Amino acid sequence: MKKNVLGRTGLKVTELSIGTLILGKIQANLSLEDGAKPVARAVELGINFIDTAASYGSQLHVREGLKGFSGE
């Protein structure tokens, strides 16, 4: 999957991202287990750009979905 440098940070992020608004309390209000699945799948597919915000209420879903990945 193609990656681009994010501004002047030097970080290389995928052109595709996963948005997490739908996972949290504002929209679908998914359980932790159900909300973690799409995050984990996106990372399995090579996506490393995850859009989240405090107001989404999806931080725990993201944390759970990232368990077991090295971060590299």
Side-chain angles (χ1 to χ4, degrees), residues 42-54:
V43 175
E44 288 170 359
L45 293 171
I47 294 172
N48 71 351
F49 190 6
I50 301 172
D51 170 43
T52 190

Side-chain angles (χ1 to χ4, degrees), residues 5 14-15 46:
V5 176
T14 52
E15 285 188 318

Side-chain angles (χ1 to χ4, degrees), residues 3-71:
K3 293 182 180 178
N4 295 308
V5 176
L6 183 62
R8 293 184 224 164
T9 67
L11 297 172
K12 292 183 180 179
V13 296
T14 52
E15 285 188 318
L16 294 176
S17 68
I18 178 169
T20 63
L21 172 66
I22 194 168
L23 307 177
K25 61 187 175 187
I26 294 176
Q27 291 194 5
N29 198 27
L30 296 178
S31 69
L32 185 59
E33 181 180 305
D34 287 342
K37 289 176 185 177
V39 175
R41 184 65 179 139
V43 175
E44 288 170 359
L45 293 171
I47 294 172
N48 71 351
F49 190 6
I50 301 172
D51 170 43
T52 190
S55 62
Y56 296 177
S58 60
Q59 297 90 333
L60 296 178
H61 300 90
V62 173
R63 182 177 71 182
E64 188 68 21
L66 293 176
K67 283 185 178 177
F69 292 99
S70 69

